[in-house]
Amino acid sequence: MLSDADVAALYDLLNPWDPEHHPADAFHHRLVMAAGAVLDVGCGTGAMLHRARDAGHRGVLAGIDPNPAYLARARRRDDIEWVPGTAAATPWEQDFDLAVMTGHAFQCLVDDGEIRAGLAGVRAALREGGRFAFETRHPQAQAWADWTPAHAREVVDAAGRLLRVGHEVESVVDDVVTFTETVTDASGAVVHYERQVLRFLGPEVLNRLLREAGFRLDEQYGDWHGGPLTPDSREIVTVARR
């Protein structure tokens, strides 16, 4: 079986942070580089903040994540503050100009109580006028329809192992999708298995929850190039202000 450290390294292989080639990464990178103090909520392995430092960001950078193996990879850089925890339990008070949640991490907040607690934690960490940038998959696009074994990806990890990563949906109940991720080796043996649950909020519910949490909407797009949010959009890209 893959160790926790192996799984964290695999995440980086499958999701390289690359603002030059990935429009989503470019969108967040521009915001980060323009802000003096930045909090990455659900920072994972820290790739976004690593890149910001490499690109010359000299302000305060901090990341928070509940996964210790991911944070261990993030701590390869010690000029960034790394804190174990969740959006609901950020230890900061009005310390940041910008908070971000990338990689659709916002969708890991499943019920309304989790979302409200997460938004309250992010808001508390922002200075007055500070902004919160994040994205969710638009539910009408039904992105989960492609999460099937037929769409599995193959990668070669740092140890030279050929790994196949596949997904399968277990259930879709209202706007909550439960699915599994299975990693197999070249022989077909399962080396990692994980069940995940994501919430697919529509824009009306999302924006209501933001208002109730004390945010006002600054910008909202249907793609990473600033296109309008329409019934055909695949993304809901949001920038809200405390």
Side-chain angles (χ1 to χ4, degrees):
M1 299 296 289
L2 298 183
S3 68
D4 290 345
D6 290 335
V7 173
L10 178 62
Y11 178 86
D12 278 344
L13 275 177
L14 294 169
N15 305 280
W17 186 264
D18 186 356
E20 278 73 38
H21 296 96
H22 298 160
D25 299 350
F27 179 91
H28 288 294
H29 184 71
R30 286 192 296 270
L31 292 175
V32 169
M33 296 305 294
V38 180
L39 172 62
D40 187 358
V41 184
C43 65
T45 61
M48 183 187 73
L49 297 184
H50 289 186
R51 183 60 173 265
R53 276 287 188 249
D54 290 340
H57 195 290
R58 294 294 173 260
V60 174
L61 297 177
I64 185 168
D65 197 276
N67 188 313
Y70 282 30
L71 282 180
R73 284 184 70 81
R75 290 190 174 110
R76 290 176 296 175
R77 286 200 74 126
D78 60 6
D79 54 356
I80 299 167
E81 184 180 4
W82 306 108
V83 173
T86 65
T90 57
W92 299 280
E93 185 67 30
Q94 297 192 32
D95 289 321
F96 298 97
D97 305 303
L98 174 72
V100 295
M101 289 184 80
T102 66
H104 303 102
F106 190 88
Q107 292 185 246
C108 295
L109 305 174
V110 176
D111 63 45
D112 284 2
E114 283 183 294
I115 294 170
R116 290 189 176 102
L119 289 173
V122 171
R123 186 180 185 279
L126 288 170
R127 296 167 181 157
E128 288 299 328
R131 299 200 295 171
F132 177 35
F134 64 99
E135 74 277 352
T136 61
R137 300 174 183 91
H138 201 307
Q140 61 80 29
Q142 298 187 3
W144 61 84
D146 291 331
W147 298 350
T148 67
H151 291 88
R153 297 174 60 187
E154 290 187 346
V155 294
V156 177
D157 72 2
R161 294 172 293 198
L162 176 65
L163 299 175
R164 182 177 175 85
V165 184
H167 300 91
E168 189 164 7
V169 173
E170 286 190 349
S171 66
V172 180
V173 180
D174 296 326
D175 56 6
V176 176
V177 177
T178 302
F179 66 101
T180 60
E181 178 179 275
T182 303
V183 183
T184 55
D185 63 16
S187 73
V190 174
V191 294
H192 178 71
Y193 178 85
E194 183 177 357
R195 177 176 284 105
Q196 300 180 40
V197 182
L198 298 179
R199 177 95 177 261
F200 284 73
L201 284 173
E204 290 185 3
V205 176
L206 173 62
N207 293 342
R208 173 178 57 78
L209 289 167
L210 285 168
R211 289 192 302 271
E212 291 173 355
F215 287 94
R216 63 177 173 85
L217 200 62
D218 254 12
E219 306 167 31
Q220 198 161 59
Y221 307 114
D223 60 42
W224 294 108
H225 304 287
L229 184 62
T230 73
D232 296 322
S233 299
R234 296 190 63 81
E235 299 281 350
I236 306 172
V237 182
T238 301
V239 182
R241 189 179 296 271
R242 169 174 170 156

